[in-house]
Short mmCIF file of all heavy atoms in Angstrom, two decimals:
data_model
loop_
_atom_site.label_atom_id
_atom_site.label_comp_id
_atom_site.label_asym_id
_atom_site.label_seq_id
_atom_site.Cartn_x
_atom_site.Cartn_y
_atom_site.Cartn_z
N VAL J 680 123.13 108.46 97.48
CA VAL J 680 121.84 108.20 98.07
C VAL J 680 121.01 109.45 98.15
O VAL J 680 119.80 109.47 97.82
CB VAL J 680 121.97 107.54 99.49
CG1 VAL J 680 120.66 107.40 100.17
CG2 VAL J 680 122.72 106.15 99.40
N ALA J 681 121.70 110.57 98.63
CA ALA J 681 120.92 111.77 98.73
C ALA J 681 120.50 112.26 97.37
O ALA J 681 119.34 112.78 97.19
CB ALA J 681 121.85 112.85 99.38
N TRP J 682 121.33 112.06 96.34
CA TRP J 682 121.00 112.51 95.01
C TRP J 682 119.77 111.78 94.52
O TRP J 682 118.86 112.34 93.94
CB TRP J 682 122.20 112.25 94.07
CG TRP J 682 122.15 113.00 92.80
CD1 TRP J 682 122.66 114.22 92.56
CD2 TRP J 682 121.48 112.63 91.58
NE1 TRP J 682 122.42 114.62 91.28
CE2 TRP J 682 121.68 113.66 90.64
CE3 TRP J 682 120.75 111.45 91.17
CZ2 TRP J 682 121.16 113.63 89.36
CZ3 TRP J 682 120.22 111.43 89.91
CH2 TRP J 682 120.45 112.46 89.00
N ILE J 683 119.78 110.42 94.69
CA ILE J 683 118.63 109.66 94.22
C ILE J 683 117.32 110.05 94.95
O ILE J 683 116.27 110.24 94.32
CB ILE J 683 118.89 108.10 94.41
CG1 ILE J 683 120.06 107.68 93.56
CG2 ILE J 683 117.69 107.31 94.14
CD1 ILE J 683 120.55 106.27 93.81
N MET J 684 117.42 110.20 96.28
CA MET J 684 116.22 110.62 97.01
C MET J 684 115.71 111.98 96.55
O MET J 684 114.52 112.12 96.35
CB MET J 684 116.59 110.68 98.50
CG MET J 684 116.53 109.35 99.25
SD MET J 684 117.38 109.36 100.86
CE MET J 684 116.61 110.80 101.62
N LEU J 685 116.61 112.91 96.41
CA LEU J 685 116.19 114.25 95.98
C LEU J 685 115.67 114.27 94.57
O LEU J 685 114.70 114.98 94.25
CB LEU J 685 117.38 115.24 96.12
CG LEU J 685 117.74 115.65 97.53
CD1 LEU J 685 119.04 116.44 97.53
CD2 LEU J 685 116.63 116.46 98.15
N ALA J 686 116.25 113.43 93.70
CA ALA J 686 115.75 113.36 92.33
C ALA J 686 114.32 112.81 92.24
O ALA J 686 113.52 113.33 91.52
CB ALA J 686 116.71 112.45 91.47
N VAL J 687 114.09 111.79 93.03
CA VAL J 687 112.73 111.26 93.11
C VAL J 687 111.75 112.32 93.59
O VAL J 687 110.67 112.50 93.03
CB VAL J 687 112.67 110.00 93.98
CG1 VAL J 687 111.21 109.54 94.24
CG2 VAL J 687 113.46 108.83 93.38
N LEU J 688 112.16 113.02 94.67
CA LEU J 688 111.35 114.08 95.24
C LEU J 688 111.06 115.16 94.21
O LEU J 688 109.96 115.63 93.98
CB LEU J 688 112.03 114.67 96.45
CG LEU J 688 111.22 115.60 97.32
CD1 LEU J 688 110.06 114.82 97.99
CD2 LEU J 688 112.06 116.24 98.38
N TRP J 689 112.14 115.56 93.49
CA TRP J 689 111.99 116.65 92.48
C TRP J 689 110.99 116.20 91.38
O TRP J 689 110.12 116.97 90.97
CB TRP J 689 113.36 116.96 91.87
CG TRP J 689 113.30 118.14 90.94
CD1 TRP J 689 113.49 119.44 91.25
CD2 TRP J 689 113.09 118.09 89.52
NE1 TRP J 689 113.34 120.20 90.12
CE2 TRP J 689 113.09 119.40 89.04
CE3 TRP J 689 112.83 117.03 88.64
CZ2 TRP J 689 112.88 119.68 87.74
CZ3 TRP J 689 112.62 117.37 87.26
CH2 TRP J 689 112.67 118.70 86.84
N LEU J 690 111.19 114.93 90.89
CA LEU J 690 110.31 114.47 89.84
C LEU J 690 108.85 114.41 90.33
O LEU J 690 107.94 114.82 89.62
CB LEU J 690 110.73 113.04 89.40
CG LEU J 690 111.81 112.98 88.30
CD1 LEU J 690 112.13 111.53 88.01
CD2 LEU J 690 111.25 113.61 87.04
N SER J 707 120.05 121.38 90.06
CA SER J 707 119.73 121.80 91.41
C SER J 707 119.86 120.63 92.41
O SER J 707 120.36 120.81 93.52
CB SER J 707 118.32 122.43 91.46
OG SER J 707 117.39 121.55 90.96
N VAL J 708 119.44 119.42 91.95
CA VAL J 708 119.60 118.24 92.81
C VAL J 708 121.07 117.99 93.12
O VAL J 708 121.43 117.75 94.27
CB VAL J 708 118.93 117.00 92.17
CG1 VAL J 708 119.40 115.72 92.80
CG2 VAL J 708 117.42 117.09 92.21
N VAL J 711 122.28 120.71 95.63
CA VAL J 711 121.77 120.51 97.01
C VAL J 711 122.41 119.31 97.63
O VAL J 711 122.81 119.37 98.84
CB VAL J 711 120.24 120.38 97.01
CG1 VAL J 711 119.70 119.95 98.37
CG2 VAL J 711 119.59 121.68 96.57
N SER J 712 122.56 118.22 96.93
CA SER J 712 123.13 117.02 97.55
C SER J 712 124.64 117.20 97.82
O SER J 712 125.14 116.72 98.82
CB SER J 712 122.88 115.74 96.74
OG SER J 712 122.83 115.97 95.38
N SER J 715 124.58 119.32 101.11
CA SER J 715 123.91 118.92 102.34
C SER J 715 123.78 117.39 102.48
O SER J 715 122.99 116.99 103.31
CB SER J 715 122.61 119.59 102.46
OG SER J 715 121.78 119.23 101.37
N LEU J 719 121.58 115.13 105.24
CA LEU J 719 120.41 114.40 104.78
C LEU J 719 120.51 112.90 105.11
O LEU J 719 119.54 112.28 105.44
CB LEU J 719 120.26 114.54 103.26
CG LEU J 719 119.71 115.95 102.82
CD1 LEU J 719 119.79 116.05 101.30
CD2 LEU J 719 118.29 116.11 103.29
#
Side-chain angles (χ1 to χ4, degrees):
Chain J
V680 174
W682 198 92
I683 293 170
M684 277 164 51
L685 286 172
V687 170
L688 191 66
W689 185 89
L690 271 178
S707 55
V708 164
V711 171
S712 32
S715 59
L719 287 171

